[in-house]
């Protein structure tokens, strides 16, 4: 058995940030999906020696994996029952819908909760084994909300952070959970709990006071002889990296080719989502269909490119959603498309960073209209990619990024008429108005990029400041 190596920074997340397949030479690469946790943390970990604890995908014994960009990969095994009851069950059929305003009805099963406890304990033990004395452990997201409390019992010497990437629901929704107190206590094992928005901190503080009877404000919570700090730390992207990628000559040339392949329309609308019922894909398609029917949008002049990357394909709700979306795309193309001119170009394969950057450069309007989203980094990536300050961002007011990208065309995606009206406003925006909006959003992202996020969170967690200094020197 290989010798256990310890790290001063340990990231604990449900998935390891690597491709599902390892190359014949044993090499691994970072898995870079549109937006999400991996894109957020990758720039930080490249410059900060660390260990990432997570599941490698698949079932059975945990494989030994090589380091990736200097980051050690420590695998946690999951068997088929863990995958079904913890990941597909409690995490994604109980917590996910509840945390996203119960867009779909959450399900509650005792065996799912038992699996959630069991898997969280396994992750906590793995983190305890690789963290050096007095080290920092940064636990990520809703899959692992019990880990901070479990880890504190195992290793009280550690500084423990927890960051929730998804929304945290209002008390009246969270109170539905049968094991609500245990989840809150698990999170309170951390020294610092970070949320995407201030409203989430407020929701959490209210619940802790109501359910656990602890003294709580929107910034501090008293737990025994400790003070747990909470706050908003909106996650961001590597703005400079995306801008540099989007400005490369090969990406610019690829964008021109893509536009030509789309028939050189006057307007290109782009949406890039995971196939998820929280993303508002069906509402967006309906709005676009009605604009085509009314003649406000014509296929020859305007094309919609909908990228919908499959997600959680074994969960029944997601299978049903994909069938509905594909049926609606087929109906719209059948009714409004022409030979060689579909109304919607519908793509379900994942795209690499270069192709995504080219798509961002092609899109005159980026439609990001989730019904609820913790942040949505795709919106930020689009803004960063618009190196000529052109383009328009149509953004749901229920995405966390709306609190920062105030110059976007903000919309309530539940209001079909408003969605249609704001999409037309974005399509018909005067170039000077669109440019002014885009410049303001790009300036904000340059000030509040991934390194600013990491410095802000880690400086609050790391009392010695050593990690923050290392990050500053790397940037």
């Amino acid at each position: 058995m290989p010798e256990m190596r310890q790290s001063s920074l340990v990231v604990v997340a449900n998935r390891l940030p690597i491709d599902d397949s390892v190359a014949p030479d044993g090499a691994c690469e970072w898995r870079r999906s549109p937006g999400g946790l991996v894109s957020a943390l990758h720039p930080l970990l490249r410059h900060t020696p660390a260990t990432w604890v997570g599941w490698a995908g698949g079932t059975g014994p945990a494989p030994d994996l090589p380091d990736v960009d200097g980051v050690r990969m420590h695998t946690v095994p999951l068997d088929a029952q863990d995958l079904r009851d913890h990941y597909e069950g409690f995490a994604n059929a109980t917590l996910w819908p509840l945390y996203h305003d119960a867009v779909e009805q959450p399900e509650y099963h005792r065996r799912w909760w038992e699996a959630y406890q069991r898997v969280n304990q396994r992750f906590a033990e793995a983190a305890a084994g690789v963290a050096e004395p007095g080290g920092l452990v940064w636990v990520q997201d809703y899959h692992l909300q019990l880990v901070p409390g479990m880890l504190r019992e195992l290793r009280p010497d550690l500084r423990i952070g927890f960051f929730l990437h998804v929304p945290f629901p209002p008390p009246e929704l969270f109170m539905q959970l049968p094991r609500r107190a245990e989840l809150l206590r698990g999170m309170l094992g951390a020294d610092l709990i970070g949320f995407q928005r201030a409203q989430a901190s407020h929701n959490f503080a209210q619940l802790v006071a109501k359910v656990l009877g602890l003294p709580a404000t929107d910034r501090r919570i008293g737990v025994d002889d400790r003070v747990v700090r909470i706050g908003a730390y909106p996650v961001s992207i590597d703005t400079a990296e995306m801008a540099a990628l989007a400005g490369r000559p090969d990406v610019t040339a690829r964008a021109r080719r893509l536009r030509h392949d789309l028939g050189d329309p006057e307007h290109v609308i782009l949406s890039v989502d995971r196939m998820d019922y929280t993303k508002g894909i069906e509402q967006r398609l309906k709005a676009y269909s009605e604009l085509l029917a009314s003649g406000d949008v014509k296929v020859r002049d305007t094309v919609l490119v909908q990228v919908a990357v499959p997600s959680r394909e074994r969960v029944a709700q997601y299978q049903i959603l994909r069938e509905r979306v594909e049926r609606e795309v087929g109906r719209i193309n059948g009714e409004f498309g022409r030979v060689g001119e579909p109304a919607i170009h519908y793509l379900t394969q994942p795209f690499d960073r270069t192709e995504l950057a080219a798509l961002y450069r092609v899109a005159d309007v980026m439609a990001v209209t989730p019904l609820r989203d913790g942040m949505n980094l795709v919106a930020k990536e689009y803004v960063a990619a618009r190196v000529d300050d052109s383009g328009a961002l149509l953004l749901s007011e229920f995405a966390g990024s709306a609190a920062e990208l105030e110059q976007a065309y903000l919309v309530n995606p539940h209001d079909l008429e408003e969605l249609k009206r704001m999409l037309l406003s974005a399509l018909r925006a005067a170039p000077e108005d669109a440019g002014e909006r885009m410049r303001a959003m790009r300036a904000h992202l340059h000030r509040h990029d991934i390194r600013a996020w990491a410095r802000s969170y880690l400086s609050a967690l790391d009392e010695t400041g050593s990690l923050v200094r290392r990050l500053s020197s790397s940037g």
Side-chain angles (χ1 to χ4, degrees):
M1 210 174 149
E3 182 183 352
M4 184 79 73
R5 294 183 294 174
Q6 294 186 320
S7 297
S8 58
L9 173 61
V10 177
V11 173
V12 186
N14 180 63
R15 286 298 304 265
L16 290 173
I18 56 172
D19 285 330
D20 292 339
S21 57
V22 179
D25 63 359
C28 293
E29 294 183 349
W30 288 87
R31 174 173 44 85
R32 304 293 296 277
S33 59
L37 172 63
V38 176
S39 295
L41 290 184
H42 177 252
L44 163 65
L45 298 181
R46 281 186 307 178
H47 301 291
T48 306
T51 295
W52 189 305
V53 173
W55 172 51
T59 57
D64 290 325
L65 296 176
D67 295 357
V68 181
D69 283 359
V71 180
R72 298 166 190 158
M73 298 290 133
H74 185 86
T75 54
V76 176
L78 296 181
D79 61 26
Q81 184 178 352
D82 296 329
L83 186 61
R84 183 180 64 249
D85 293 345
H86 164 260
Y87 179 72
E88 296 172 354
F90 195 81
N92 286 313
T94 300
L95 293 181
W96 178 268
L98 188 76
Y99 284 16
H100 289 83
D101 292 352
V103 173
E104 290 281 345
Q105 183 64 35
E107 296 181 44
Y108 306 105
H109 298 286
R110 281 173 290 186
R111 73 177 186 278
W112 290 0
W113 168 249
E114 291 164 2
Y116 190 79
Q117 291 176 294
R118 181 175 66 247
V119 170
N120 273 244
Q121 185 68 42
R122 199 175 303 157
F123 274 80
E125 290 170 356
V130 298
E132 70 178 28
L136 268 67
V137 178
W138 197 356
V139 184
Q140 308 288 332
D141 227 0
Y142 64 102
H143 314 84
L144 303 173
Q145 285 177 234
L146 299 178
V147 168
M150 294 171 168
L151 187 57
R152 182 162 295 282
E153 289 187 11
L154 294 168
R155 291 287 305 275
D157 61 297
L158 298 173
R159 299 288 296 172
I160 303 170
F162 179 79
F163 189 84
L164 189 69
H165 291 257
V166 300
F168 191 81
E172 57 269 23
L173 280 180
F174 190 86
M175 290 294 287
Q176 296 179 18
L177 274 172
R179 310 311 287 261
R180 59 201 184 192
E182 289 93 327
L183 278 171
L184 294 174
R185 289 194 192 99
M187 294 171 70
L188 288 170
D191 296 288
L192 175 66
I193 302 172
F195 299 95
Q196 299 280 23
R197 301 184 75 165
Q199 182 62 50
S201 298
H202 178 69
N203 292 345
F204 183 77
Q206 281 190 306
L207 278 159
V208 165
K210 182 179 181 65
V211 175
L212 303 180
L214 296 175
T217 70
D218 288 2
R219 301 188 66 177
R220 293 173 181 270
I221 298 168
V223 183
D224 301 325
D225 58 348
R226 298 187 299 119
V227 173
V228 177
R229 288 164 299 141
I230 63 176
Y233 300 87
V235 72
S236 194
I237 63 168
D238 191 335
T239 308
E241 183 243 12
M242 176 53 73
L245 178 60
R248 276 177 12 194
D250 62 315
V251 173
T252 303
R254 177 60 180 154
R256 284 197 299 267
R257 178 66 184 173
L258 283 170
R259 195 173 197 100
H260 175 74
D261 291 344
L262 291 170
D264 287 316
E266 185 179 347
H267 300 294
V268 175
I269 306 167
L270 172 67
S271 289
V272 178
D273 307 282
R274 283 189 309 102
M275 181 66 77
D276 194 289
Y277 50 77
T278 66
K279 300 300 183 181
I281 299 172
E282 291 179 283
Q283 289 81 354
R284 191 185 310 138
L285 291 177
K286 185 170 180 58
Y288 187 62
S289 172
E290 290 192 6
L291 288 174
L292 289 170
S294 66
D296 289 299
V297 170
K298 294 180 173 57
V299 169
R300 186 153 300 190
D301 301 326
T302 303
V303 66
L304 170 62
V305 178
Q306 173 65 66
V307 178
V309 181
S311 174
R312 301 166 189 155
E313 293 181 86
R314 301 195 337 169
V315 178
Q317 292 165 323
Y318 290 78
Q319 296 168 355
I320 294 167
L321 172 67
R322 179 168 181 169
E323 291 171 3
R324 288 202 308 255
V325 167
E326 292 180 349
R327 188 161 53 244
E328 182 65 2
V329 169
R331 183 194 68 78
I332 294 170
N333 279 335
E335 189 170 343
F336 299 105
R338 298 181 178 88
V339 175
E341 291 183 340
I344 300 172
H345 290 258
Y346 174 70
L347 305 164
T348 59
Q349 69 266 35
F351 288 86
D352 63 26
R353 302 282 290 169
T354 302
E355 190 77 354
L356 263 181
L359 281 169
Y360 292 151
R361 290 295 306 272
V362 169
D364 304 293
V365 174
M366 184 81 201
V368 182
T369 57
L371 306 179
R372 170 64 73 185
D373 217 335
M375 176 52 60
N376 198 294
L377 297 181
V378 167
K380 292 188 173 185
E381 288 182 345
Y382 174 73
V383 170
R386 303 303 296 190
V387 291
D388 60 357
D389 293 330
S390 66
L393 174 62
L394 178 70
L395 181 60
S396 167
E397 62 190 54
F398 301 117
S401 49
E404 298 178 81
L405 304 178
E406 298 174 340
Q407 294 81 15
Y409 292 85
L410 297 177
V411 64
N412 174 4
H414 299 274
D415 185 339
L416 193 62
E417 292 304 318
E418 182 181 327
L419 186 53
K420 290 159 57 179
R421 185 170 63 252
M422 294 306 292
L423 179 54
L424 285 177
S425 295
L427 285 169
R428 297 169 178 174
E432 56 272 18
D433 177 51
E436 185 177 341
R437 289 170 180 256
M438 190 59 70
R439 279 189 294 275
M441 291 189 288
R442 285 174 55 77
H444 174 87
L445 286 188
H446 279 287
R447 293 192 303 271
H448 299 89
D449 67 355
I450 182 66
R451 289 187 176 84
W453 172 70
R455 289 188 192 102
S456 174
Y457 185 90
L458 289 175
S459 62
L461 177 62
D462 178 20
E463 292 180 324
T464 68
S466 59
L467 280 171
V468 177
R469 285 195 296 273
R470 200 161 20 188
L471 178 60
S472 299
S473 65
S474 74

